């Protein structure tokens, strides 16, 4: 099954100036910028500066011109990295050293372990960035300065101070703080506080402890879960609410100086602490059993938690509209709870018991699904739609199957020859149910995919009479790999079997498949391509294509990245509008050295190509979604 999914879009350069990405530009409207201040194009559009997060100079240039994401000085910095001549920094730019012109004594020291940025590159970045552009103070750059040999002084008015209680530097600068960053980096950020955030004394002191300081919790923290007289919990390794262990929660509470400390009362109770302050009973859901009795099965595990833990949670639940959820849990835990009259009711109806209550469907048992349905007062008129497939899977009789889905995968309605046969990583019975209940397949016109799966499952399915044929003759290379992505590998023969079910002869995708994939797979009569990315005497190969840029008459500058060469050629042949004739040659010039090999090896394929044809804009694909089974 061929997976020709190619939805190109232009995103702002990813991971560029990671600090500046976090700055806020709510009213940014600079119209257009340029990388080279002299108005010339970048010398090498394909070059990827290390600081640009994987974007090429050509992509940055297009972004600056057509839709700037940053203020223009940021693009001047990128222009400098891309080789533009005589770039002039703004007069009010930052400096990495407070008392110098921006040079550093230790240029090769790495100041950001995540990006590998050195003192020298950080100083260069600072030279093009002002506080206005950055969105916060130049203290951001000053915080790195002392690592680079500067004699910078933290600003007393905003500094959060040292991480160690005694005011000394952290003993273990290469250890990691609570957020996973190096202690040296976190220490500098606390000292210079470039974002001017409120200083969290507990967090700073705790990070200092992790970095080797002999710190004690400051005044005003919530304190240990079980009270000030003990720093241990009865069940330290217990995982609470699938969130964290009691030991970890105890550490957080011990150093937390900003939270409402009542949030830890539930954790204290679940971790086995005694004398925990409880909210007034009349303000909570109180107990799982509606009559106030003890739960019959306190140790029973329901949805990854014990019934006794749910009982504790109910006693802390003050959102009374959630009490119905605890009534449902109580029923699962053995309470004789009364179901609401406006719930969705039992799965199989009041008079029919579940055939197999312990059968697991979608991660929980049918018994649990029935409890959920019975106490569900939220679905209302959508109860039937919400639980129909669960009812069917749980074996209820007389389930009304949807008539607006794709239907059974055997087109004639016959039973599956082998329900347990694995096709595309799932059983045929799974695909049959998906097809029956998939109403979107009709709306999005991909039901043919299910018919194809049915064919692989042994159904006597035939493709539509107007189905697209990859080739009217036998392929020369049926075993050649035509798709290889995310551990999914398909051959030309599998492509040829799938295409008639997916496309009709009149579809634009059919024409592109026949010319591009047909040629690639060795169809002797493959029709000419509208645009061949490979020069005469060469052929396309299934490798990753370089990123490239071209101009579309509708969408403007279009950037293509993260695709293989065969899919690139498929997309640019998918239509006949958008590109001027010269664009085909321009695209070929950018990617042919990587995508094309001499046409003298197995897999060359047949067919002819026309030169100088019209290429297809990938932006034309923005409304096309091909659904495949991964």
């Amino acid at each position: 099954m061929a997976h020709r999914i190619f939805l190109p879009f232009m995103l702002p350069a990813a991971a560029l100036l990671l600090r500046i990405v976090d700055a806020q530009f709510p009213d940014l409207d600079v119209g257009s910028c340029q990388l080279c201040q002299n108005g010339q194009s970048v010398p090498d559009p394909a070059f990827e500066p290390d600081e640009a997060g994987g974007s090429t100079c050509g992509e940055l240039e297009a972004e600056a011109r057509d839709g700037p994401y940053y203020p223009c000085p940021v693009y001047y910095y990128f222009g400098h990295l891309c080789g533009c001549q005589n770039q002039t920094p703004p007069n009010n730019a930052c400096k990495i050293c407070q008392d110098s012109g921006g040079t550093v004594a230790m240029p090769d020291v790495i100041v950001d372990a995540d990006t590998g940025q050195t003192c020298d590159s950080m100083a260069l970045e600072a030279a093009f960035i002002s506080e206005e552009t950055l969105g916060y103070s130049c203290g951001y750059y000053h915080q790195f300065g002392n690592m680079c040999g500067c004699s910078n002084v933290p600003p007393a008015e905003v500094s959060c101070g040292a991480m160690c209680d005694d005011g000394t530097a952290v003993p273990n600068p290469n250890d990691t703080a609570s957020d996973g960053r190096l202690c040296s980096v976190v220490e500098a950020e606390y000292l210079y506080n470039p974002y001017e955030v409120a200083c969290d004394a507990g967090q700073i002191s705790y990070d200092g402890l992790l970095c080797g300081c002999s710190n004690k919790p400051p005044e005003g923290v919530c304190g240990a879960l079980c009270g000030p007289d003990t720093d241990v919990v009865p069940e330290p390794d217990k995982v609470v609410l699938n969130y964290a262990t009691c030991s970890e929660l105890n550490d957080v509470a011990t150093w937390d100086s900003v939270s409402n400390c009542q949030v830890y009362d539930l954790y204290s109770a679940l971790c086995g602490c005694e004398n925990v302050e409880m909210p007034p009973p009349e303000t909570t859901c109180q107990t799982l059993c509606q009559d106030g009795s003890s739960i019959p099965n306190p140790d029973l595990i329901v949805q990854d938690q014990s019934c006794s833990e749910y009982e504790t949670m109910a006693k802390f639940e003050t959102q009374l509209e959630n009490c119905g959820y605890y009534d449902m849990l109580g029923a699962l835990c053995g309470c004789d709870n009364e179901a609401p009259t406006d719930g969705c009711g039992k799965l199989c109806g009041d008079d029919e018991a579940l055939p197999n209550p312990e059968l697991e469907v979608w991660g929980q048992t049918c018994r649990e699904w029935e409890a959920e349905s019975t106490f569900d007062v939220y679905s209302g008129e959508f109860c039937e739609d919400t639980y129909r497939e669960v009812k069917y899977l749980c074996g209820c009789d007389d389930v009304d199957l949807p008539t607006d889905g794709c239907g059974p995968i055997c087109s004639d309605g016959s039973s599956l020859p082998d329900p347990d046969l694995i096709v595309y990583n799932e059983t045929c019975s799974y695909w049959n149910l998906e097809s029956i209940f998939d109403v979107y397949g009709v709306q999005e016109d991909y039901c043919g995919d299910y018919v194809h799966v049915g064919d692989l499952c042994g159904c006597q399915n035939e493709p539509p009479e107007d189905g697209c044929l990859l080739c009217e003759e036998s392929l020369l290379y049926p075993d050649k790999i035509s798709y290889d992505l995310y551990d999914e590998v398909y051959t030309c023969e599998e492509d040829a079997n799938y295409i008639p079910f997916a496309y009709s002869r009149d579809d634009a995708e059919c024409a592109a498949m026949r010319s591009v994939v047909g040629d690639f797979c060795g169809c002797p009569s493959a029709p000419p391509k509208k645009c061949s990315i490979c020069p005469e005497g060469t052929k396309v190969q299934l490798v990753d294509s370089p990123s490239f840029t071209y101009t579309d008459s509708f969408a403007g500058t279009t950037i293509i990245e993260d695709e293989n060469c065969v899919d690139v050629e498929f997309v640019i042949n998918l239509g006949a509008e958008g590109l001027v004739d010269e664009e085909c040659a321009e695209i070929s010039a950018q990617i042919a050295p990587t995508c094309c090999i001499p046409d003298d090896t197995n897999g060359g394929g047949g067919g002819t190509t026309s030169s100088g044809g019209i290429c297809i804009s990938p932006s034309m694909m923005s409304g096309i979604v091909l659904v495949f089974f991964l």
Side-chain angles (χ1 to χ4, degrees):
M1 182 182 297
H3 296 213
R4 307 294 168 199
I5 301 177
F6 197 92
L7 302 177
F9 47 88
M10 188 183 300
L11 289 176
L16 306 178
L17 282 180
L18 296 179
R19 286 71 48 192
I20 297 177
V21 170
D22 294 328
Q24 300 298 311
F25 305 118
D27 300 314
L28 177 64
D29 183 13
V30 297
S32 181
C33 300
Q34 54 191 14
L35 257 63
C36 294
Q37 291 171 315
N38 60 13
Q40 297 180 357
S41 298
V42 292
D44 183 1
F47 176 62
E48 294 183 8
D50 292 339
E51 298 84 354
S55 295
T56 67
C57 292
E59 291 166 350
L60 293 170
E61 186 171 49
E63 180 186 306
R65 180 181 64 247
D66 300 326
Y69 187 65
Y70 310 107
C72 289
V74 177
Y75 292 101
Y76 300 154
Y77 164 66
F78 289 138
H80 182 87
L81 298 176
C82 289
C84 299
Q85 298 298 310
N86 302 318
Q87 297 286 88
T88 303
N91 293 328
N92 59 346
C94 296
K95 300 175 182 178
I96 194 169
C97 292
Q98 293 170 329
D99 57 357
S100 75
T103 58
V104 291
M106 297 181 288
D108 298 326
V109 171
I110 294 177
V111 294
D112 191 331
D114 292 330
T115 64
Q117 195 164 12
T118 64
C119 290
D120 195 35
S121 63
M122 186 70 77
L124 175 62
E125 179 184 309
F128 280 89
I129 307 301
S130 66
E131 290 190 350
E132 180 182 4
T133 299
L134 192 62
Y136 35 84
S137 79
C138 288
Y140 169 77
Y141 293 106
H142 299 160
Q143 69 180 331
F144 297 105
N146 289 351
M147 305 179 200
C148 303
C150 306
S151 299
N152 293 346
V153 178
E157 64 275 13
V158 297
S159 176
C160 290
M163 292 168 64
C164 291
D165 290 349
D166 59 8
T168 61
V170 293
N172 305 320
N174 293 322
D175 284 355
T176 55
S178 59
D179 63 1
R181 293 184 298 160
L182 288 177
C183 291
S184 59
V185 174
V186 175
E187 180 179 44
E189 188 170 295
Y190 282 138
L191 285 170
Y192 286 85
N193 192 14
Y195 317 113
E196 299 186 13
V197 298
C199 299
D200 181 350
Q203 183 65 58
I204 295 169
S205 190
Y206 179 61
D207 279 330
L209 182 74
L210 296 178
C211 294
C213 305
S214 299
N215 289 350
K216 299 294 183 182
E219 294 292 329
V221 295
C222 291
L225 290 181
C226 293
D229 298 329
T230 177
D231 58 357
V232 297
V233 287
E235 301 178 72
D237 297 326
K238 178 181 178 181
V239 178
V240 175
L241 305 182
N242 295 317
Y243 170 60
T245 66
C246 290
S247 178
E248 292 169 335
L249 289 168
N250 190 52
D251 286 342
V252 173
T254 300
W255 298 85
D256 188 349
S257 62
V258 296
S259 298
N260 180 344
C261 295
Q262 287 183 336
V263 302
Y264 292 104
D265 290 342
L266 172 60
Y267 298 139
S268 298
L270 291 173
C271 289
C273 298
E274 298 179 353
N275 302 319
V276 178
E277 184 176 353
M278 309 288 287
E282 64 273 13
T283 66
T284 73
C285 295
Q286 300 186 27
T287 62
L288 293 188
C289 292
Q290 293 170 336
D291 59 6
S293 61
S294 299
I295 46 178
N297 302 307
D299 297 325
L300 179 67
I301 301 298
V302 175
Q303 299 177 0
D304 298 329
Q305 298 283 139
S306 71
C307 291
S308 61
E309 289 172 319
Y310 285 125
E311 174 95 330
T312 300
M313 292 166 62
K315 293 177 179 179
F316 281 89
E317 180 57 76
T318 58
Q319 301 293 321
L320 299 184
E321 62 270 20
N322 293 333
C323 292
Y325 173 71
Y326 289 99
D327 289 343
M328 180 268 290
L329 291 171
L332 288 171
C333 291
C335 301
D336 188 19
N337 287 350
E338 183 177 347
T341 56
D342 55 347
C344 289
K346 294 183 176 181
L347 284 181
C348 298
D350 293 338
D351 300 326
E352 182 183 347
L354 288 170
N356 186 353
E358 301 309 313
L359 177 67
E360 187 167 301
V361 171
W362 292 346
Q364 58 185 31
T365 66
C366 292
R367 181 174 65 88
E368 291 170 330
W369 278 115
E370 178 154 272
E372 182 175 315
S373 173
T374 302
F375 285 86
D376 181 357
V377 297
Y378 306 104
S379 294
E381 61 181 303
F382 300 106
C383 284
E384 186 61 29
D385 291 337
T386 301
Y387 294 101
R388 179 188 285 122
E389 192 165 354
V390 171
K391 292 179 180 182
Y392 184 82
L393 293 172
C394 286
C396 297
D397 294 333
D398 302 325
V399 177
D400 293 328
L401 298 181
T403 58
D404 51 352
C406 289
I409 60 175
C410 287
S411 300
D412 58 5
S414 60
S415 300
L416 293 170
D418 186 354
D420 297 323
L421 179 67
I422 301 297
V423 171
Y424 296 124
N425 302 321
E426 295 288 353
T427 65
C428 292
S429 61
Y430 169 88
W431 288 124
N432 193 51
L433 285 172
E434 286 295 300
S435 181
I436 291 172
F437 286 92
D438 190 347
V439 297
Y440 299 104
V442 178
Q443 300 169 13
E444 301 296 334
D445 193 25
Y446 59 77
C447 290
D449 288 351
Y450 289 113
V451 181
H452 167 62
V453 170
D455 184 56
L456 298 178
C457 288
C459 303
Q460 300 301 310
N461 292 351
E462 296 290 339
E465 292 184 2
D466 64 343
C468 177
L469 295 179
L470 182 63
C471 188
E472 286 81 1
E473 303 154 279
S474 297
L475 296 175
L476 298 180
Y477 316 114
D479 298 326
K480 186 178 181 182
I481 302 299
S482 57
Y483 181 85
D484 186 355
L485 185 65
Y486 306 130
D487 298 325
E488 297 286 340
V489 178
Y490 303 105
T491 65
C492 288
E493 184 175 28
E494 289 172 323
D495 256 345
N497 291 335
Y498 165 69
I499 289 170
F501 291 95
Y503 309 119
S504 70
R505 292 192 181 100
D506 295 332
D507 289 340
E509 293 90 347
C510 179
M513 279 285 187
R514 284 170 55 80
S515 62
V516 175
V517 181
D519 178 68
F520 180 78
C521 292
C523 178
S525 58
K529 303 171 188 174
K530 296 181 177 71
C531 172
S532 176
I533 63 174
C534 293
E536 187 174 354
T538 64
K539 64 183 179 185
V540 67
Q541 58 178 335
L542 190 68
V543 296
D544 292 336
S545 170
S547 300
F548 66 93
T549 304
Y550 67 93
T551 302
D552 181 279
S553 61
F554 297 120
T557 300
T558 304
I559 301 170
I560 306 299
E561 53 189 357
D562 300 328
E563 293 297 332
N564 69 60
C565 297
V566 175
D567 276 353
V568 166
E569 190 166 54
F570 167 76
V571 168
I572 63 177
N573 279 272
L574 191 55
E577 300 178 18
L579 299 183
V580 297
D581 292 351
E582 292 78 9
E583 288 297 331
C584 185
E586 181 179 323
I587 294 172
S588 177
Q590 294 184 70
I591 66 176
T594 298
C595 289
C596 305
I597 56 176
D599 194 3
D600 58 1
T601 58
N602 184 11
T608 59
T609 62
S610 59
S611 59
I614 299 176
C615 296
I616 303 309
S617 163
S619 65
M620 299 288 287
M621 286 293 288
S622 60
I624 299 173
V625 179
L626 311 182
V627 178
F628 302 97
F629 307 113
L630 293 173

